[in-house]
PDB file of all heavy atoms in Angstrom:
ATOM      1  N   LEU U   4      95.485-170.775  66.091  1.00 49.00           N
ATOM      2  CA  LEU U   4      94.513-169.703  66.168  1.00 49.00           C
ATOM      3  C   LEU U   4      93.512-169.837  65.028  1.00 49.00           C
ATOM      4  O   LEU U   4      92.302-169.701  65.198  1.00 49.00           O
ATOM      5  CB  LEU U   4      95.240-168.380  66.085  1.00 49.00           C
ATOM      6  CG  LEU U   4      94.527-167.263  66.782  1.00 49.00           C
ATOM      7  CD1 LEU U   4      94.564-167.524  68.273  1.00 49.00           C
ATOM      8  CD2 LEU U   4      95.193-165.960  66.468  1.00 49.00           C
ATOM      9  N   GLU U  12      83.763-170.604  63.641  1.00 51.00           N
ATOM     10  CA  GLU U  12      82.913-170.244  62.515  1.00 51.00           C
ATOM     11  C   GLU U  12      82.010-171.396  62.116  1.00 51.00           C
ATOM     12  O   GLU U  12      80.899-171.217  61.653  1.00 51.00           O
ATOM     13  CB  GLU U  12      83.776-169.771  61.341  1.00 51.00           C
ATOM     14  CG  GLU U  12      84.039-168.277  61.479  1.00 51.00           C
ATOM     15  CD  GLU U  12      85.280-167.818  60.744  1.00 51.00           C
ATOM     16  OE1 GLU U  12      85.802-168.590  59.923  1.00 51.00           O
ATOM     17  OE2 GLU U  12      85.710-166.681  61.000  1.00 51.00           O
ATOM     18  N   ARG U  18      80.507-169.424  70.817  1.00 53.00           N
ATOM     19  CA  ARG U  18      81.124-168.440  71.690  1.00 53.00           C
ATOM     20  C   ARG U  18      80.415-168.469  73.038  1.00 53.00           C
ATOM     21  O   ARG U  18      80.985-168.354  74.085  1.00 53.00           O
ATOM     22  CB  ARG U  18      80.978-167.064  71.043  1.00 53.00           C
ATOM     23  CG  ARG U  18      81.812-166.007  71.706  1.00 53.00           C
ATOM     24  CD  ARG U  18      81.736-164.746  70.922  1.00 53.00           C
ATOM     25  NE  ARG U  18      82.315-164.844  69.602  1.00 53.00           N
ATOM     26  CZ  ARG U  18      81.635-164.799  68.484  1.00 53.00           C
ATOM     27  NH1 ARG U  18      80.339-164.697  68.519  1.00 53.00           N
ATOM     28  NH2 ARG U  18      82.239-164.856  67.335  1.00 53.00           N
ATOM     29  N   PHE U  21      81.543-171.379  75.238  1.00 51.00           N
ATOM     30  CA  PHE U  21      82.902-171.109  75.704  1.00 51.00           C
ATOM     31  C   PHE U  21      82.896-170.054  76.798  1.00 51.00           C
ATOM     32  O   PHE U  21      83.432-170.247  77.876  1.00 51.00           O
ATOM     33  CB  PHE U  21      83.759-170.644  74.531  1.00 51.00           C
ATOM     34  CG  PHE U  21      85.209-170.471  74.878  1.00 51.00           C
ATOM     35  CD1 PHE U  21      86.095-171.520  74.750  1.00 51.00           C
ATOM     36  CD2 PHE U  21      85.685-169.256  75.350  1.00 51.00           C
ATOM     37  CE1 PHE U  21      87.417-171.376  75.076  1.00 51.00           C
ATOM     38  CE2 PHE U  21      87.005-169.094  75.687  1.00 51.00           C
ATOM     39  CZ  PHE U  21      87.876-170.159  75.544  1.00 51.00           C
ATOM     40  N   TYR U  64     100.313-152.542  97.799  1.00 83.00           N
ATOM     41  CA  TYR U  64     101.514-153.187  98.312  1.00 83.00           C
ATOM     42  C   TYR U  64     101.690-152.907  99.803  1.00 83.00           C
ATOM     43  O   TYR U  64     101.913-153.812 100.608  1.00 83.00           O
ATOM     44  CB  TYR U  64     102.696-152.677  97.494  1.00 83.00           C
ATOM     45  CG  TYR U  64     104.070-153.018  98.019  1.00 83.00           C
ATOM     46  CD1 TYR U  64     104.413-154.331  98.319  1.00 83.00           C
ATOM     47  CD2 TYR U  64     105.023-152.020  98.183  1.00 83.00           C
ATOM     48  CE1 TYR U  64     105.674-154.639  98.781  1.00 83.00           C
ATOM     49  CE2 TYR U  64     106.285-152.324  98.649  1.00 83.00           C
ATOM     50  CZ  TYR U  64     106.607-153.632  98.950  1.00 83.00           C
ATOM     51  OH  TYR U  64     107.849-153.921  99.411  1.00 83.00           O
ATOM     52  N   ASP U 201     103.909-134.664  94.026  1.00 79.00           N
ATOM     53  CA  ASP U 201     103.180-133.402  94.035  1.00 79.00           C
ATOM     54  C   ASP U 201     101.840-133.563  94.749  1.00 79.00           C
ATOM     55  O   ASP U 201     100.780-133.518  94.132  1.00 79.00           O
ATOM     56  CB  ASP U 201     102.979-132.942  92.588  1.00 79.00           C
ATOM     57  CG  ASP U 201     102.418-131.544  92.527  1.00 79.00           C
ATOM     58  OD1 ASP U 201     102.360-130.899  93.583  1.00 79.00           O
ATOM     59  OD2 ASP U 201     102.042-131.109  91.437  1.00 79.00           O
ATOM     60  N   ASN U 230     104.910-135.916  89.484  1.00 79.00           N
ATOM     61  CA  ASN U 230     103.519-136.327  89.478  1.00 79.00           C
ATOM     62  C   ASN U 230     103.467-137.846  89.542  1.00 79.00           C
ATOM     63  O   ASN U 230     104.306-138.508  88.955  1.00 79.00           O
ATOM     64  CB  ASN U 230     102.882-135.833  88.175  1.00 79.00           C
ATOM     65  CG  ASN U 230     101.396-135.826  88.249  1.00 79.00           C
ATOM     66  OD1 ASN U 230     100.788-136.873  88.441  1.00 79.00           O
ATOM     67  ND2 ASN U 230     100.802-134.670  88.126  1.00 79.00           N
ATOM     68  N   GLU U 232     101.787-139.828  88.053  1.00 72.00           N
ATOM     69  CA  GLU U 232     101.613-140.467  86.755  1.00 72.00           C
ATOM     70  C   GLU U 232     102.797-140.254  85.836  1.00 72.00           C
ATOM     71  O   GLU U 232     102.781-140.673  84.699  1.00 72.00           O
ATOM     72  CB  GLU U 232     100.334-139.937  86.083  1.00 72.00           C
ATOM     73  CG  GLU U 232      99.099-140.487  86.744  1.00 72.00           C
ATOM     74  CD  GLU U 232      97.985-139.471  86.805  1.00 72.00           C
ATOM     75  OE1 GLU U 232      98.218-138.299  86.480  1.00 72.00           O
ATOM     76  OE2 GLU U 232      96.888-139.863  87.187  1.00 72.00           O
ATOM     77  N   ASP U 233     103.846-139.590  86.330  1.00 74.00           N
ATOM     78  CA  ASP U 233     105.015-139.374  85.483  1.00 74.00           C
ATOM     79  C   ASP U 233     105.589-140.707  85.042  1.00 74.00           C
ATOM     80  O   ASP U 233     105.699-141.641  85.830  1.00 74.00           O
ATOM     81  CB  ASP U 233     106.107-138.620  86.263  1.00 74.00           C
ATOM     82  CG  ASP U 233     105.838-137.130  86.275  1.00 74.00           C
ATOM     83  OD1 ASP U 233     104.909-136.706  85.573  1.00 74.00           O
ATOM     84  OD2 ASP U 233     106.545-136.400  86.977  1.00 74.00           O
ATOM     85  N   THR U 234     105.960-140.760  83.778  1.00 73.00           N
ATOM     86  CA  THR U 234     106.570-141.992  83.291  1.00 73.00           C
ATOM     87  C   THR U 234     108.089-141.846  83.285  1.00 73.00           C
ATOM     88  O   THR U 234     108.808-142.738  83.675  1.00 73.00           O
ATOM     89  CB  THR U 234     106.074-142.317  81.884  1.00 73.00           C
ATOM     90  OG1 THR U 234     106.021-141.104  81.144  1.00 73.00           O
ATOM     91  CG2 THR U 234     104.711-142.932  81.931  1.00 73.00           C
ATOM     92  N   ASP U 235     108.578-140.699  82.880  1.00 80.00           N
ATOM     93  CA  ASP U 235     110.005-140.517  82.734  1.00 80.00           C
ATOM     94  C   ASP U 235     110.470-139.472  83.751  1.00 80.00           C
ATOM     95  O   ASP U 235     109.850-138.416  83.877  1.00 80.00           O
ATOM     96  CB  ASP U 235     110.321-140.037  81.312  1.00 80.00           C
ATOM     97  CG  ASP U 235     111.801-140.148  81.013  1.00 80.00           C
ATOM     98  OD1 ASP U 235     112.574-140.405  81.953  1.00 80.00           O
ATOM     99  OD2 ASP U 235     112.178-139.967  79.848  1.00 80.00           O
ATOM    100  N   TYR U 237     113.489-138.037  83.765  1.00 83.00           N
ATOM    101  CA  TYR U 237     114.519-137.150  83.239  1.00 83.00           C
ATOM    102  C   TYR U 237     114.196-135.672  83.474  1.00 83.00           C
ATOM    103  O   TYR U 237     115.053-134.934  83.939  1.00 83.00           O
ATOM    104  CB  TYR U 237     114.752-137.429  81.747  1.00 83.00           C
ATOM    105  CG  TYR U 237     115.978-138.275  81.479  1.00 83.00           C
ATOM    106  CD1 TYR U 237     116.195-139.450  82.199  1.00 83.00           C
ATOM    107  CD2 TYR U 237     116.917-137.904  80.525  1.00 83.00           C
ATOM    108  CE1 TYR U 237     117.313-140.221  81.957  1.00 83.00           C
ATOM    109  CE2 TYR U 237     118.044-138.677  80.285  1.00 83.00           C
ATOM    110  CZ  TYR U 237     118.238-139.842  80.999  1.00 83.00           C
ATOM    111  OH  TYR U 237     119.340-140.598  80.763  1.00 83.00           O
ATOM    112  N   PRO U 238     112.959-135.238  83.149  1.00 82.00           N
ATOM    113  CA  PRO U 238     112.671-133.799  83.338  1.00 82.00           C
ATOM    114  C   PRO U 238     112.877-133.339  84.781  1.00 82.00           C
ATOM    115  O   PRO U 238     113.507-132.304  85.020  1.00 82.00           O
ATOM    116  CB  PRO U 238     111.212-133.673  82.930  1.00 82.00           C
ATOM    117  CG  PRO U 238     110.979-134.792  81.994  1.00 82.00           C
ATOM    118  CD  PRO U 238     111.839-135.915  82.483  1.00 82.00           C
ATOM    119  N   LYS U 242     116.012-130.836  86.397  1.00 84.00           N
ATOM    120  CA  LYS U 242     115.790-129.595  87.157  1.00 84.00           C
ATOM    121  C   LYS U 242     116.550-129.629  88.471  1.00 84.00           C
ATOM    122  O   LYS U 242     117.148-128.639  88.882  1.00 84.00           O
ATOM    123  CB  LYS U 242     114.284-129.443  87.443  1.00 84.00           C
ATOM    124  CG  LYS U 242     113.527-128.796  86.323  1.00 84.00           C
ATOM    125  CD  LYS U 242     112.185-128.248  86.795  1.00 84.00           C
ATOM    126  CE  LYS U 242     111.120-129.307  86.876  1.00 84.00           C
ATOM    127  NZ  LYS U 242     109.791-128.761  87.137  1.00 84.00           N
ATOM    128  N   LYS U 266     118.474-143.903  88.716  1.00 89.00           N
ATOM    129  CA  LYS U 266     118.989-144.231  87.387  1.00 89.00           C
ATOM    130  C   LYS U 266     119.170-142.964  86.558  1.00 89.00           C
ATOM    131  O   LYS U 266     120.225-142.749  85.949  1.00 89.00           O
ATOM    132  CB  LYS U 266     118.026-145.200  86.703  1.00 89.00           C
ATOM    133  CG  LYS U 266     118.558-145.785  85.411  1.00 89.00           C
ATOM    134  CD  LYS U 266     117.573-146.804  84.828  1.00 89.00           C
ATOM    135  CE  LYS U 266     118.050-147.307  83.491  1.00 89.00           C
ATOM    136  NZ  LYS U 266     117.076-148.195  82.852  1.00 89.00           N
ATOM    137  N   GLU U 270     122.727-141.514  85.265  1.00 85.00           N
ATOM    138  CA  GLU U 270     122.937-141.424  83.814  1.00 85.00           C
ATOM    139  C   GLU U 270     123.374-140.019  83.415  1.00 85.00           C
ATOM    140  O   GLU U 270     124.141-139.826  82.486  1.00 85.00           O
ATOM    141  CB  GLU U 270     121.661-141.819  83.055  1.00 85.00           C
ATOM    142  CG  GLU U 270     121.456-143.312  83.003  1.00 85.00           C
ATOM    143  CD  GLU U 270     120.161-143.731  82.308  1.00 85.00           C
ATOM    144  OE1 GLU U 270     119.306-142.850  82.024  1.00 85.00           O
ATOM    145  OE2 GLU U 270     120.005-144.922  82.057  1.00 85.00           O
ATOM    146  N   THR U 287     113.885-154.301  94.078  1.00 84.00           N
ATOM    147  CA  THR U 287     113.364-153.507  92.967  1.00 84.00           C
ATOM    148  C   THR U 287     114.391-152.485  92.512  1.00 84.00           C
ATOM    149  O   THR U 287     114.613-152.295  91.313  1.00 84.00           O
ATOM    150  CB  THR U 287     112.088-152.759  93.421  1.00 84.00           C
ATOM    151  OG1 THR U 287     111.195-153.703  93.940  1.00 84.00           O
ATOM    152  CG2 THR U 287     111.464-152.021  92.277  1.00 84.00           C
ATOM    153  N   GLU U 290     117.076-154.121  90.555  1.00 84.00           N
ATOM    154  CA  GLU U 290     116.608-154.561  89.232  1.00 84.00           C
ATOM    155  C   GLU U 290     116.477-153.389  88.273  1.00 84.00           C
ATOM    156  O   GLU U 290     116.906-153.453  87.124  1.00 84.00           O
ATOM    157  CB  GLU U 290     115.231-155.225  89.362  1.00 84.00           C
ATOM    158  CG  GLU U 290     115.279-156.704  89.616  1.00 84.00           C
ATOM    159  CD  GLU U 290     113.878-157.296  89.798  1.00 84.00           C
ATOM    160  OE1 GLU U 290     112.876-156.530  89.790  1.00 84.00           O
ATOM    161  OE2 GLU U 290     113.798-158.505  89.964  1.00 84.00           O
ATOM    162  N   GLU U 294     123.341-151.257  87.135  1.00 81.00           N
ATOM    163  CA  GLU U 294     124.709-150.813  87.461  1.00 81.00           C
ATOM    164  C   GLU U 294     124.717-149.402  88.056  1.00 81.00           C
ATOM    165  O   GLU U 294     125.696-149.005  88.677  1.00 81.00           O
ATOM    166  CB  GLU U 294     125.551-150.823  86.192  1.00 81.00           C
ATOM    167  CG  GLU U 294     124.881-150.004  85.101  1.00 81.00           C
ATOM    168  CD  GLU U 294     125.792-149.646  83.938  1.00 81.00           C
ATOM    169  OE1 GLU U 294     127.015-149.739  84.071  1.00 81.00           O
ATOM    170  OE2 GLU U 294     125.232-149.252  82.902  1.00 81.00           O
TER     171      GLU U 294
ATOM    172  N   GLN O   8     118.819-131.813  76.357  1.00 83.00           N
ATOM    173  CA  GLN O   8     118.258-132.855  77.210  1.00 83.00           C
ATOM    174  C   GLN O   8     116.764-132.983  77.001  1.00 83.00           C
ATOM    175  O   GLN O   8     116.237-134.068  76.822  1.00 83.00           O
ATOM    176  CB  GLN O   8     118.548-132.508  78.681  1.00 83.00           C
ATOM    177  CG  GLN O   8     118.284-133.637  79.641  1.00 83.00           C
ATOM    178  CD  GLN O   8     119.353-134.701  79.536  1.00 83.00           C
ATOM    179  OE1 GLN O   8     120.490-134.479  79.905  1.00 83.00           O
ATOM    180  NE2 GLN O   8     118.990-135.847  79.015  1.00 83.00           N
ATOM    181  N   TYR O  20     105.535-143.422  72.841  1.00 91.00           N
ATOM    182  CA  TYR O  20     104.090-143.155  72.859  1.00 91.00           C
ATOM    183  C   TYR O  20     103.491-143.513  71.496  1.00 91.00           C
ATOM    184  O   TYR O  20     102.431-144.118  71.407  1.00 91.00           O
ATOM    185  CB  TYR O  20     103.815-141.677  73.141  1.00 91.00           C
ATOM    186  CG  TYR O  20     104.098-141.219  74.551  1.00 91.00           C
ATOM    187  CD1 TYR O  20     104.169-139.857  74.844  1.00 91.00           C
ATOM    188  CD2 TYR O  20     104.267-142.121  75.584  1.00 91.00           C
ATOM    189  CE1 TYR O  20     104.411-139.407  76.133  1.00 91.00           C
ATOM    190  CE2 TYR O  20     104.519-141.680  76.871  1.00 91.00           C
ATOM    191  CZ  TYR O  20     104.591-140.325  77.140  1.00 91.00           C
ATOM    192  OH  TYR O  20     104.831-139.883  78.402  1.00 91.00           O
ATOM    193  N   TYR O  53     109.657-159.619  81.360  1.00 93.00           N
ATOM    194  CA  TYR O  53     110.252-159.728  82.687  1.00 93.00           C
ATOM    195  C   TYR O  53     110.498-161.191  83.045  1.00 93.00           C
ATOM    196  O   TYR O  53     111.581-161.563  83.473  1.00 93.00           O
ATOM    197  CB  TYR O  53     109.349-159.060  83.734  1.00 93.00           C
ATOM    198  CG  TYR O  53     109.808-159.300  85.157  1.00 93.00           C
ATOM    199  CD1 TYR O  53     110.862-158.566  85.690  1.00 93.00           C
ATOM    200  CD2 TYR O  53     109.214-160.274  85.941  1.00 93.00           C
ATOM    201  CE1 TYR O  53     111.306-158.799  86.980  1.00 93.00           C
ATOM    202  CE2 TYR O  53     109.650-160.510  87.236  1.00 93.00           C
ATOM    203  CZ  TYR O  53     110.691-159.771  87.751  1.00 93.00           C
ATOM    204  OH  TYR O  53     111.131-160.006  89.023  1.00 93.00           O
ATOM    205  N   LEU O  83      88.317-162.437  68.877  1.00 92.00           N
ATOM    206  CA  LEU O  83      87.363-163.452  68.424  1.00 92.00           C
ATOM    207  C   LEU O  83      86.278-163.695  69.465  1.00 92.00           C
ATOM    208  O   LEU O  83      85.109-163.854  69.131  1.00 92.00           O
ATOM    209  CB  LEU O  83      88.110-164.758  68.157  1.00 92.00           C
ATOM    210  CG  LEU O  83      89.057-164.716  66.959  1.00 92.00           C
ATOM    211  CD1 LEU O  83      89.916-165.964  66.916  1.00 92.00           C
ATOM    212  CD2 LEU O  83      88.249-164.583  65.675  1.00 92.00           C
ATOM    213  N   LEU O  84      86.687-163.717  70.736  1.00 91.00           N
ATOM    214  CA  LEU O  84      85.743-164.068  71.792  1.00 91.00           C
ATOM    215  C   LEU O  84      84.813-162.923  72.166  1.00 91.00           C
ATOM    216  O   LEU O  84      83.611-163.111  72.303  1.00 91.00           O
ATOM    217  CB  LEU O  84      86.505-164.462  73.052  1.00 91.00           C
ATOM    218  CG  LEU O  84      86.985-165.892  73.164  1.00 91.00           C
ATOM    219  CD1 LEU O  84      87.808-166.049  74.424  1.00 91.00           C
ATOM    220  CD2 LEU O  84      85.784-166.824  73.189  1.00 91.00           C
ATOM    221  N   ARG O  87      84.214-159.517  68.469  1.00 88.00           N
ATOM    222  CA  ARG O  87      83.530-159.798  67.213  1.00 88.00           C
ATOM    223  C   ARG O  87      82.024-159.608  67.321  1.00 88.00           C
ATOM    224  O   ARG O  87      81.421-158.986  66.459  1.00 88.00           O
ATOM    225  CB  ARG O  87      83.886-161.203  66.729  1.00 88.00           C
ATOM    226  CG  ARG O  87      83.112-161.554  65.473  1.00 88.00           C
ATOM    227  CD  ARG O  87      83.645-162.774  64.810  1.00 88.00           C
ATOM    228  NE  ARG O  87      84.937-162.512  64.186  1.00 88.00           N
ATOM    229  CZ  ARG O  87      85.639-163.439  63.578  1.00 88.00           C
ATOM    230  NH1 ARG O  87      85.207-164.679  63.548  1.00 88.00           N
ATOM    231  NH2 ARG O  87      86.778-163.144  63.019  1.00 88.00           N
ATOM    232  N   VAL O 120     106.898-153.451  92.714  1.00 81.00           N
ATOM    233  CA  VAL O 120     107.415-152.921  91.453  1.00 81.00           C
ATOM    234  C   VAL O 120     108.616-153.755  91.020  1.00 81.00           C
ATOM    235  O   VAL O 120     109.461-154.118  91.843  1.00 81.00           O
ATOM    236  CB  VAL O 120     107.834-151.453  91.642  1.00 81.00           C
ATOM    237  CG1 VAL O 120     108.343-150.891  90.341  1.00 81.00           C
ATOM    238  CG2 VAL O 120     106.680-150.637  92.152  1.00 81.00           C
ATOM    239  N   GLY O 122     111.733-154.598  87.875  1.00 84.00           N
ATOM    240  CA  GLY O 122     112.546-153.980  86.826  1.00 84.00           C
ATOM    241  C   GLY O 122     113.115-155.027  85.910  1.00 84.00           C
ATOM    242  O   GLY O 122     113.449-156.123  86.329  1.00 84.00           O
ATOM    243  N   THR O 128     124.433-150.572  78.041  1.00 77.00           N
ATOM    244  CA  THR O 128     124.835-149.618  79.072  1.00 77.00           C
ATOM    245  C   THR O 128     125.765-148.565  78.464  1.00 77.00           C
ATOM    246  O   THR O 128     126.162-148.664  77.307  1.00 77.00           O
ATOM    247  CB  THR O 128     125.565-150.314  80.228  1.00 77.00           C
ATOM    248  OG1 THR O 128     126.659-151.032  79.671  1.00 77.00           O
ATOM    249  CG2 THR O 128     124.657-151.248  80.972  1.00 77.00           C
ATOM    250  N   PHE O 137     123.883-135.695  78.554  1.00 78.00           N
ATOM    251  CA  PHE O 137     124.263-137.100  78.505  1.00 78.00           C
ATOM    252  C   PHE O 137     123.152-137.890  77.841  1.00 78.00           C
ATOM    253  O   PHE O 137     121.995-137.808  78.223  1.00 78.00           O
ATOM    254  CB  PHE O 137     124.513-137.601  79.928  1.00 78.00           C
ATOM    255  CG  PHE O 137     125.185-138.936  79.972  1.00 78.00           C
ATOM    256  CD1 PHE O 137     126.523-139.061  79.601  1.00 78.00           C
ATOM    257  CD2 PHE O 137     124.496-140.059  80.386  1.00 78.00           C
ATOM    258  CE1 PHE O 137     127.148-140.292  79.648  1.00 78.00           C
ATOM    259  CE2 PHE O 137     125.126-141.289  80.439  1.00 78.00           C
ATOM    260  CZ  PHE O 137     126.446-141.412  80.066  1.00 78.00           C
ATOM    261  N   GLU O 141     121.213-146.832  75.844  1.00 86.00           N
ATOM    262  CA  GLU O 141     119.947-147.527  76.028  1.00 86.00           C
ATOM    263  C   GLU O 141     118.797-146.742  75.399  1.00 86.00           C
ATOM    264  O   GLU O 141     118.005-147.270  74.617  1.00 86.00           O
ATOM    265  CB  GLU O 141     119.700-147.710  77.529  1.00 86.00           C
ATOM    266  CG  GLU O 141     118.493-148.562  77.823  1.00 86.00           C
ATOM    267  CD  GLU O 141     118.213-148.666  79.311  1.00 86.00           C
ATOM    268  OE1 GLU O 141     118.736-147.836  80.081  1.00 86.00           O
ATOM    269  OE2 GLU O 141     117.452-149.561  79.684  1.00 86.00           O
ATOM    270  N   ARG O 142     118.747-145.446  75.733  1.00 87.00           N
ATOM    271  CA  ARG O 142     117.686-144.612  75.175  1.00 87.00           C
ATOM    272  C   ARG O 142     117.801-144.518  73.658  1.00 87.00           C
ATOM    273  O   ARG O 142     116.804-144.482  72.935  1.00 87.00           O
ATOM    274  CB  ARG O 142     117.725-143.215  75.796  1.00 87.00           C
ATOM    275  CG  ARG O 142     117.041-143.210  77.145  1.00 87.00           C
ATOM    276  CD  ARG O 142     117.252-141.960  77.924  1.00 87.00           C
ATOM    277  NE  ARG O 142     116.675-142.173  79.261  1.00 87.00           N
ATOM    278  CZ  ARG O 142     115.522-141.654  79.656  1.00 87.00           C
ATOM    279  NH1 ARG O 142     114.860-140.833  78.884  1.00 87.00           N
ATOM    280  NH2 ARG O 142     115.056-141.914  80.843  1.00 87.00           N
ATOM    281  N   THR O 210     111.967-151.640  80.379  1.00 87.00           N
ATOM    282  CA  THR O 210     113.408-151.737  80.578  1.00 87.00           C
ATOM    283  C   THR O 210     113.957-150.396  81.041  1.00 87.00           C
ATOM    284  O   THR O 210     114.813-150.307  81.914  1.00 87.00           O
ATOM    285  CB  THR O 210     114.088-152.135  79.260  1.00 87.00           C
ATOM    286  OG1 THR O 210     113.326-153.158  78.653  1.00 87.00           O
ATOM    287  CG2 THR O 210     115.490-152.615  79.513  1.00 87.00           C
ATOM    288  N   LEU O 211     113.456-149.354  80.404  1.00 85.00           N
ATOM    289  CA  LEU O 211     113.944-148.007  80.715  1.00 85.00           C
ATOM    290  C   LEU O 211     113.519-147.593  82.120  1.00 85.00           C
ATOM    291  O   LEU O 211     114.297-147.009  82.865  1.00 85.00           O
ATOM    292  CB  LEU O 211     113.350-147.041  79.687  1.00 85.00           C
ATOM    293  CG  LEU O 211     113.976-145.672  79.587  1.00 85.00           C
ATOM    294  CD1 LEU O 211     115.429-145.795  79.193  1.00 85.00           C
ATOM    295  CD2 LEU O 211     113.231-144.853  78.549  1.00 85.00           C
ATOM    296  N   LEU O 212     112.278-147.902  82.474  1.00 82.00           N
ATOM    297  CA  LEU O 212     111.753-147.486  83.778  1.00 82.00           C
ATOM    298  C   LEU O 212     111.472-148.735  84.609  1.00 82.00           C
ATOM    299  O   LEU O 212     112.289-149.616  84.653  1.00 82.00           O
ATOM    300  CB  LEU O 212     110.497-146.630  83.576  1.00 82.00           C
ATOM    301  CG  LEU O 212     110.710-145.482  82.592  1.00 82.00           C
ATOM    302  CD1 LEU O 212     109.395-144.955  82.077  1.00 82.00           C
ATOM    303  CD2 LEU O 212     111.508-144.369  83.240  1.00 82.00           C
ATOM    304  N   ILE O 221      97.787-145.602  82.406  1.00 86.00           N
ATOM    305  CA  ILE O 221      98.451-144.388  81.953  1.00 86.00           C
ATOM    306  C   ILE O 221      98.764-144.503  80.459  1.00 86.00           C
ATOM    307  O   ILE O 221      98.596-143.551  79.698  1.00 86.00           O
ATOM    308  CB  ILE O 221      99.774-144.168  82.723  1.00 86.00           C
ATOM    309  CG1 ILE O 221      99.535-144.178  84.208  1.00 86.00           C
ATOM    310  CG2 ILE O 221     100.442-142.887  82.282  1.00 86.00           C
ATOM    311  CD1 ILE O 221      98.913-142.959  84.757  1.00 86.00           C
ATOM    312  N   THR O 256     106.972-130.417  81.558  1.00 82.00           N
ATOM    313  CA  THR O 256     107.277-130.984  82.869  1.00 82.00           C
ATOM    314  C   THR O 256     108.587-130.414  83.390  1.00 82.00           C
ATOM    315  O   THR O 256     108.712-130.090  84.570  1.00 82.00           O
ATOM    316  CB  THR O 256     107.357-132.515  82.803  1.00 82.00           C
ATOM    317  OG1 THR O 256     106.178-132.994  82.183  1.00 82.00           O
ATOM    318  CG2 THR O 256     107.469-133.114  84.181  1.00 82.00           C
ATOM    319  N   THR O 257     109.597-130.276  82.513  1.00 79.00           N
ATOM    320  CA  THR O 257     110.866-129.725  82.969  1.00 79.00           C
ATOM    321  C   THR O 257     110.721-128.265  83.370  1.00 79.00           C
ATOM    322  O   THR O 257     111.249-127.827  84.383  1.00 79.00           O
ATOM    323  CB  THR O 257     111.944-129.846  81.872  1.00 79.00           C
ATOM    324  OG1 THR O 257     111.928-131.175  81.376  1.00 79.00           O
ATOM    325  CG2 THR O 257     113.321-129.534  82.416  1.00 79.00           C
ATOM    326  N   ALA O 261     104.109-131.268  85.848  1.00 75.00           N
ATOM    327  CA  ALA O 261     103.454-132.351  85.120  1.00 75.00           C
ATOM    328  C   ALA O 261     101.955-132.112  84.993  1.00 75.00           C
ATOM    329  O   ALA O 261     101.348-132.479  83.992  1.00 75.00           O
ATOM    330  CB  ALA O 261     103.721-133.671  85.826  1.00 75.00           C
ATOM    331  N   ASP O 262     101.354-131.486  86.013  1.00 76.00           N
ATOM    332  CA  ASP O 262      99.920-131.206  85.917  1.00 76.00           C
ATOM    333  C   ASP O 262      99.632-130.265  84.760  1.00 76.00           C
ATOM    334  O   ASP O 262      98.675-130.451  84.004  1.00 76.00           O
ATOM    335  CB  ASP O 262      99.426-130.566  87.216  1.00 76.00           C
ATOM    336  CG  ASP O 262      99.134-131.615  88.263  1.00 76.00           C
ATOM    337  OD1 ASP O 262      98.601-132.665  87.884  1.00 76.00           O
ATOM    338  OD2 ASP O 262      99.459-131.386  89.433  1.00 76.00           O
TER     339      ASP O 262
END
Side-chain angles (χ1 to χ4, degrees):
Chain U
L4 208 68
E12 273 157 13
R18 192 173 295 112
F21 186 90
Y64 169 53
D201 189 9
N230 198 299
E232 287 143 352
D233 278 353
T234 41
D235 193 350
Y237 259 48
K242 275 199 279 188
K266 189 177 176 185
E270 282 177 350
T287 306
E290 271 177 356
E294 54 165 343
Chain O
Q8 192 74 69
Y20 289 166
Y53 172 79
L83 292 170
L84 276 175
R87 176 167 288 177
V120 181
T128 55
F137 192 71
E141 187 183 17
R142 279 169 187 256
T210 317
L211 195 61
L212 309 161
I221 306 284
T256 308
T257 311
D262 277 321

